[in-house]
Amino acid sequence: MNAADTAWILTSTALVLLMTLPGLALFYGGLVQSRNILSVLMQCMAIACLASVLWLVVAYSLAFAEGSIWLGGLQKAFLAGVGRDTLFPGTGLPETVFFSFQMTFAVITPALMVGAFVERIKFSAVLLISGAWLLIVYAPVVHWVWGGGWLADRGVMDFAGGIVVHVTAGSSAAVIAVILGARGGFPKTVQPPHAPWMVMVGAALLWVGWYGFNAGSALGANVDAGMALLVTHMSAATASLVWIVIEWIRFGKPSLVGMVTGTIAGLATVTPASGFVGPMAGVLLGLIGGVVCYIAVDLVKHRWKIDDSLDVLAVHGVGGALGSLMVAFLAGLPGGTGLGETSAGSQFGVQLLGVGSVLVWSVIATIIIVLIVRALVGLRVNKDEEIEGLDFSTHGESGYRF
């Protein structure tokens, strides 16, 4: 066991869980109406618990146990054969630590999708969709990319989850939003976020937690971790400034919610490239990611009329895909790892295959999952419950007492 590496991944595990609880919960909670804040917090918390248990029962084994090029086996279900002193192959980490670190990724990925269906979905549907999606979409894709599967064999580059986390969650979230339908009054009479200050607090926690997400993916306290942390920060800072400038020019007033949405766009865009690129590439990823994700938000909501309520596709899906494709050209800049004997064009083809195949699998599998769940328990609360708010109609509580 390497004590320094283990200490850093233990820390990173805590940081990544901080991203969901409380970071993502507060970020999404502030963006909805006051009558729905508790429902969002409940969904994030419940998904975290459900994903953790499923990860132990079988999902970890499907992702990382030896199996076919498509899926891992069942030999590590319930962590069978993993002792207190078992090391994860190729690292100096106890496998329990590696398991826990990857578990926090399994927690946040389905939780990201909450942003697409807030304020109108049944809680039972959230649980069923999230659990099935983790097993059918997420675990196989982890195996493809990080578990020795067919995309790993082709040399796909995804340092911390641009494809595994953001493309899967972003594309699947859009599918759920389309099948579920828009909120009442969308897009003309949807109210603005009830607590922008809460959105900023959540975004700040996400930013801090993202250090563990990206730098922790080096699986050690090493030079890759150091560079990943640096480029992560620079991309987030740059994209935040990009959104300030765009809103200032377009509307005359830069908004807090807009700025921190840019922050998340920069973080999502740099994620797949973070351990492979240098500082200037981090700035470029933030610059390009900020602009492209801003345009994507407008396309999804106002051109395509998809009520992806909190912009999961436009920010996470588009940002993650963009960073996954750009890494082929940016890894060769100063501070990057380079591509070895592989050309940028050839690597771009591999990256495009990775993004495209995962996108298609996520969309098809999610359509099937959602249609089955709709047949079993239904998807949407009734109109009266939606107007009353999910806090009281679903959970019998209120976020605020006036």
Side-chain angles (χ1 to χ4, degrees), residues 318-340:
V318 171
L322 180 64
S324 298
L325 298 175
M326 290 179 63
V327 67
F329 304 104
L330 298 181
L333 295 182
T337 59
L339 299 174

Side-chain angles (χ1 to χ4, degrees), residues 88-177:
F88 187 76
T91 73
L93 302 174
E95 188 159 3
T96 54
V97 174
F98 178 81
F99 168 91
S100 299
F101 179 64
Q102 289 296 334
M103 179 180 65
T104 58
F105 279 64
V107 162
I108 195 170
T109 308
L112 287 174
M113 298 192 297
V114 166
F117 49 68
V118 293
E119 303 190 291
R120 61 201 191 274
I121 195 169
K122 289 183 175 181
F123 185 59
S124 56
V126 172
L127 295 179
L128 289 173
I129 290 171
S130 299
W133 187 89
L134 187 75
L135 299 177
I136 297 171
V137 177
Y138 181 75
V141 172
V142 172
H143 186 74
W144 297 355
V145 177
W146 293 336
W150 70 279
L151 286 176
D153 289 343
R154 284 165 171 75
V156 73
M157 299 171 71
D158 186 7
F159 192 77
I163 296 173
V164 172
V165 174
H166 296 290
V167 171
T168 58
S171 57
S172 296
V175 168
I176 298 170

Side-chain angles (χ1 to χ4, degrees), residues 35 43 116-126 129 176-186 190 307 309 370 373-387 390 393-394:
R35 63 182 181 271
Q43 289 164 12
F117 49 68
V118 293
E119 303 190 291
R120 61 201 191 274
I121 195 169
K122 289 183 175 181
F123 185 59
S124 56
V126 172
I129 290 171
I176 298 170
V178 170
I179 297 176
L180 181 64
R183 290 167 290 176
F186 175 85
V190 172
D307 189 11
S309 312
V370 174
V373 171
R374 184 172 69 180
L376 291 174
V377 300
L379 294 178
R380 190 163 181 149
V381 299
N382 63 47
K383 186 175 181 180
D384 290 339
E385 290 173 327
E386 185 176 346
I387 293 172
L390 303 188
S393 65
T394 299

Side-chain angles (χ1 to χ4, degrees), residues 55-68 71-83 86 89 95 143 147:
W55 192 245
L56 173 66
V57 172
V58 71
Y60 174 72
S61 190
L62 295 176
F64 288 104
E66 291 185 6
S68 70
L71 194 63
L74 298 176
Q75 58 268 38
K76 290 190 177 181
F78 294 96
L79 276 185
V82 177
T86 303
E95 188 159 3
H143 186 74

Side-chain angles (χ1 to χ4, degrees), residues 46 110 148 194 216 243 251 301 308 333 340 389:
H194 91 279
W243 279 56
F251 304 114
K301 281 189 172 178
D308 177 1
L333 295 182

Side-chain angles (χ1 to χ4, degrees), residues 243 245-255 294 298 302:
W243 279 56
V245 171
I246 292 175
E247 289 195 336
W248 218 331
I249 293 172
R250 189 176 180 187
F251 304 114
K253 296 178 181 180
S255 70
Y294 187 93
D298 184 66
H302 301 116

